[in-house]
């Protein structure tokens, strides 16, 4: 039996510049980090040749082509596997803006690779590229490239996109700076559900129309990167806010009256900036709050029955945590 | 437990793949003969293992070796100015060797700075050999051309066995001269 553990992520700056329609001819840059919340994929041999896949429903099929779960179907077909049971578990439900769909793709490919003892996809880069290929080219999902990359590599990274390539860059940020940043970032569940595909599709369709706005967001991304490398975190809140205002203008679906109200409420109770994590429209709200206001913000959110998801930065990407084959 | 019980538990029952070790010995013999540089990298205790291995390869077998953790100025400068994850990759890049053999040790098999160096070696078609010690498998093991894995979750046992294997390899190379 093989178990893979793949972290979820928060993207701080530059989301939207990781769409290939944008970075075909413009430089994109995302600052993102994996967090200590995970998806687990379990792969186990079956006594017969069928494939059994468990998620919100259970599918048992004779052939991978018959699977309704598109991601799993393509990953299993890639390794030509039969006679397996596959299950996925997660610390946080999907559809909430923490990149779980890509983490599942990466985790599934990783677990299947080790199960099949395959020489294919032997490096982190190759695994990330395959995950991108499956989600974008085969399943035609309107998503960017950063989620699959950060889930595979892990850690706090700057990912640059241009032309046909992405570069994963480790930044020389001191552990103390990262620690302080970690403490000042909080995730709040908005209680609003949404389907990210609609929001992302509108973003993807409008990439060229929104080019100038996305370029401004990339500029902010670079400013934030330099601040962090210089050990400064005080400005991160305001930079997040600037970036969020720009992001909202990309599509009417990214925010709404309820989200705006919650955001303003957080700001007036000590946060200096934030954003909706992921595509927008609901899911988790990320806020930056200086240390002296932590209690104030937490009490205020508690009063409104807004639940916090405590987390910390995770420096590792997808890992195999159990293997008794 | 006393030392006898400790060795019995940790060392006697570990199965090592002899075929893989033969491959490593074969490769090293060739590369030493053709005077191709052997570059080594690792962190922590394993950094001393690779340095020790490099020293024995040079002194006993006449090999050309460079142990990257020993170039402490570069390690500190890259770490301080750029990132700890780049300390080996960047050294490899600046050495600009057109041929070479990269040997890396990582007990977890997941040390980013070693993985990054192996990534770069792959991109310039430089062959790679790794020593790892992960029960569940690891990125480094999968990426390497040849991998010696000691499936243990005890890092001291792992480091000791790696050291023992490097000495065995030197002993074999010595008798082949």
């Amino acid at each position: 039996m093989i178990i893979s553990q793949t972290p979820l992520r928060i993207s701080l700056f530059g989301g939207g510049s990781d769409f290939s329609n944008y970075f075909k001819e413009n430089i994109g840059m995302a600052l993102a980090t994996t967090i200590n919340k995970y998806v687990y994929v379990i792969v186990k041999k079956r006594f017969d040749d069928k494939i059994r896949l468990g998620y919100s429903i259970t599918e048992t099929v004779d052939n991978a082509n018959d699977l309704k779960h598109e991601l799993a179907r393509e990953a299993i077909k890639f390794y030509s596997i039969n006679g397996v049971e596959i299950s996925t578990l997660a610390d946080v439900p999907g559809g909430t803006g923490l990149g779980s769909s890509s983490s599942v793709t990466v985790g599934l490919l990783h677990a299947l690779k080790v199960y099949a003892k395959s020489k294919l996809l032997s490096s982190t880069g190759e695994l990330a590229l395959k995950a991108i290929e499956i989600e974008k080219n085969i399943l035609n999902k309107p998503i960017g490239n950063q989620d699959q990359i950060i889930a595979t590599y892990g850690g706090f990274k700057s990912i640059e996109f241009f032309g046909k390539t992405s570069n994963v860059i480790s930044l020389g940020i001191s552990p103390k700076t990262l620690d302080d940043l970690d403490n000042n970032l909080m995730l709040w569940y908005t209680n609003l559900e949404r389907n990210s595909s609609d929001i992302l599709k509108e973003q993807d369709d409008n990439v060229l129309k929104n080019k100038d706005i996305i370029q401004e967001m990339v500029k902010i991304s670079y400013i934030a990167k330099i601040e962090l490398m210089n050990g400064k975190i005080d400005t991160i809140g305001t930079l997040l806010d600037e970036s969020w205002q720009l992001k909202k203008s990309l599509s009417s679906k990214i925010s709404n009256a309820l989200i705006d109200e919650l955001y303003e409420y957080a700001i007036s109770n000590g946060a200096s900036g934030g954003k909706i994590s992921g595509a927008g429209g609901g899911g988790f709200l990320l806020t930056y709050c200086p240390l002296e206001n932590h209690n104030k913000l937490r009490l205020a959110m508690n009063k409104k029955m807004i639940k916090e998801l405590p987390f910390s930065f995770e420096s590792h990407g997808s890992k195999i945590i159990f293997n008794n084959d | 437990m006393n030392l006898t019980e400790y060795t019995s538990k940790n060392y006697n029952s570990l199965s090592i793949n002899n075929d893989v070790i033969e491959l490593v010995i074969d490769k090293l013999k060739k590369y030493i003969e053709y005077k191709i540089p052997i570059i080594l990298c690792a962190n922590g205790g394993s950094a001393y293992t690779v340095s020790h291995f490099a020293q024995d390869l040079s002194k006993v077998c006449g090999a050309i070796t460079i142990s990257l953790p020993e170039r402490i100025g570069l390690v500190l400068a890259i770490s301080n100015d750029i990132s700890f994850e780049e300390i080996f990759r960047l050294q490899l890049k600046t050495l600009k060797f057109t041929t070479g053999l990269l040997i890396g040790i990582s007990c977890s098999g997941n040390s980013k700075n070693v993985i990054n160096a192996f990534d770069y070696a792959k991109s310039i078609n430089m062959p790679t050999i790794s020593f790892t010690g992960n029960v569940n498998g690891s990125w480094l093991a999968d990426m390497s051309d040849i991998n010696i894995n000691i499936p243990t979750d005890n890092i001291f046992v792992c480091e000791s066995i790696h050291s023992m294997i490097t000495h065995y390899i030197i002993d074999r190379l010595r008798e082949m001269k």
Side-chain angles (χ1 to χ4, degrees):
Chain A
M1 180 164 87
I2 311 283
I3 306 181
S4 72
Q5 174 186 280
T6 309
L8 301 179
R9 66 95 184 97
I10 50 176
S11 171
L12 293 163
F13 297 99
S17 72
D18 62 328
F19 279 87
S20 52
N21 281 336
Y22 173 79
F23 68 77
K24 244 188 318 205
E25 296 178 358
N26 304 284
I27 296 182
M29 199 276 268
L31 280 181
T33 178
T34 43
I35 62 174
N36 64 342
K37 297 284 172 270
Y38 311 93
V39 298
Y40 299 89
V41 180
I42 305 166
V43 178
K44 191 182 180 320
K45 190 166 173 45
R46 267 180 77 88
F47 72 96
D48 60 22
D49 280 338
K50 294 190 206 254
I51 298 167
R52 187 170 184 271
L53 176 70
Y55 48 109
S56 49
I57 60 170
T58 306
E59 298 191 61
T60 309
V61 299
D62 290 323
N63 189 295
N65 275 314
D66 302 328
L67 283 171
K68 296 201 195 72
H69 194 294
E70 305 171 311
L71 243 39
R73 181 185 65 215
E74 294 309 315
I76 297 169
K77 274 168 68 176
F78 179 68
Y79 287 108
S80 310
I81 290 174
N82 267 320
V84 273
E85 297 226 2
I86 302 174
S87 245
T88 57
L89 303 167
D91 283 338
V92 179
T96 48
L98 300 179
S100 62
S101 100
S102 297
S103 293
V104 169
T105 312
V106 167
L108 183 57
L109 280 169
H110 196 179
L112 289 174
K113 172 185 89 124
V114 175
Y115 173 83
K117 296 190 176 28
S118 171
K119 279 281 161 202
L120 299 169
L121 307 183
S122 61
S123 71
T124 42
E126 286 168 17
L127 193 74
L129 281 173
K130 193 63 183 176
I132 291 171
E133 186 195 314
I134 287 183
E135 287 200 280
K136 286 192 51 183
N137 301 346
I138 302 178
L139 302 177
N140 287 317
K141 285 188 174 189
I143 54 173
N145 289 358
Q146 66 168 303
D147 292 356
Q148 303 85 344
I149 292 173
I150 199 74
T152 320
Y153 284 79
F156 192 102
K157 294 288 195 289
S158 155
I159 310 171
E160 281 185 344
F161 305 91
F162 186 64
K164 288 194 173 12
T165 56
S166 344
N167 275 323
V168 185
I169 301 169
S170 310
L171 305 171
I173 303 178
S174 80
K176 174 153 200 322
T177 306
L178 274 184
D179 211 35
D180 290 342
L181 178 64
D182 190 344
N183 287 332
N184 289 350
L185 287 172
M186 297 172 199
L187 280 171
W188 307 98
Y189 190 56
T190 60
N191 292 314
L192 295 167
E193 283 181 20
R194 86 288 190 263
N195 186 320
S196 64
S197 303
D198 298 333
I199 306 169
L200 292 171
K201 180 144 196 337
E202 188 176 312
Q203 246 189 276
D204 196 14
D205 290 342
N206 292 331
V207 148
L208 294 171
K209 187 170 76 144
N210 288 327
K211 191 179 78 156
D212 294 337
I213 301 173
I214 300 175
Q215 275 178 340
E216 281 305 307
M217 291 175 70
V218 171
K219 273 200 208 146
I220 297 176
S221 208
Y222 277 103
I223 293 172
K225 169 179 146 178
I226 304 288
E227 290 285 283
L228 290 171
M229 288 173 71
N230 285 331
K232 302 217 204 98
I233 59 169
D234 314 328
T235 47
I236 295 296
T238 358
L239 289 169
L240 276 172
D241 178 67
E242 268 180 54
S243 195
W244 172 238
Q245 303 305 335
L246 285 168
K247 181 159 179 155
K248 283 201 290 184
S249 65
L250 293 174
S251 153
S252 57
K253 299 191 169 89
I254 290 176
S255 190
N256 55 49
L258 287 165
I259 291 173
D260 287 344
E261 194 196 309
L262 183 63
Y263 187 85
E264 290 310 314
Y265 183 70
I267 300 288
S268 53
N269 280 291
S272 53
K275 61 178 293 215
I276 289 287
S277 185
F284 285 96
L285 172 69
L286 176 75
T287 57
Y288 178 92
C289 179
L291 185 59
E292 60 268 21
N293 293 337
H294 281 187
N295 285 335
K296 184 173 174 205
L297 181 59
R298 287 193 159 115
L299 277 165
M301 293 302 232
N302 197 11
K303 246 201 294 193
K304 270 214 170 184
M305 311 267 271
I306 301 288
K307 203 159 177 267
E308 182 184 359
L309 176 72
F311 72 94
S312 54
F313 293 168
E314 161 63 68
S315 60
H316 284 111
S318 184
K319 274 201 294 213
I320 302 295
I321 57 167
F322 183 88
N323 179 351
N324 68 354
D325 277 7
Chain B
M1 63 181 102
N2 64 27
L3 186 58
T4 312
E5 288 158 344
Y6 183 81
T7 38
S8 175
K9 170 175 189 261
N10 290 310
Y11 293 84
N12 290 355
S13 55
L14 275 174
S15 60
I16 296 167
N17 190 331
N18 288 313
D19 296 333
V20 177
I21 303 212
E22 289 305 315
L23 277 175
V24 173
I25 293 173
D26 216 45
K27 201 139 193 116
L28 280 169
K29 178 166 189 297
K30 246 194 341 202
Y31 275 59
I32 294 170
E33 212 178 317
Y34 296 147
K35 298 193 176 358
I36 295 177
I38 298 167
I39 305 139
L40 307 99
C41 62
N43 294 291
S46 301
Y48 288 92
T49 308
V50 295
S51 277
H52 190 163
F53 191 31
Q55 164 201 306
D56 283 344
L57 281 169
S58 290
K59 178 168 182 285
V60 177
C61 311
I64 300 170
T65 61
I66 301 184
S67 170
L68 298 181
E70 274 181 36
R71 305 166 98 216
I72 195 66
L74 275 169
V75 168
L76 291 172
I78 300 170
S79 213
N80 196 40
D81 299 343
I82 301 167
S83 167
F84 184 68
E85 293 175 10
E86 294 298 319
I87 58 173
F88 300 131
R89 167 159 55 190
L90 200 51
Q91 285 197 63
L92 203 51
K93 273 189 178 173
T94 55
L95 279 169
K96 290 191 168 51
F97 285 136
T98 48
T99 54
L101 171 67
L102 181 64
I103 301 180
I105 300 188
S106 165
C107 286
S108 69
N110 290 318
S111 295
K112 294 261 181 82
N113 54 19
V114 178
I115 287 174
N116 284 341
F118 272 58
D119 222 6
Y120 178 70
K122 224 177 176 191
S123 74
I124 59 170
N125 288 319
M126 184 183 282
T128 54
I129 298 175
S130 68
F131 290 65
T132 52
N134 197 325
V135 184
N136 296 320
S138 62
W139 284 109
L140 194 63
D142 292 342
M143 290 170 79
S144 325
D145 295 327
I146 308 174
N147 165 253
I148 297 173
N149 186 56
I150 311 299
T152 173
D153 41 33
N154 183 323
I155 192 171
F156 306 115
V157 170
C158 180
E159 287 176 356
S160 298
I161 300 203
H162 285 167
S163 190
M164 186 265 285
I165 293 175
T166 55
H167 278 136
Y168 168 71
I169 293 173
I170 298 288
D171 231 347
R172 286 283 307 272
L173 287 169
R174 176 169 66 165
E175 70 189 34
M176 283 165 125
K177 277 172 93 174

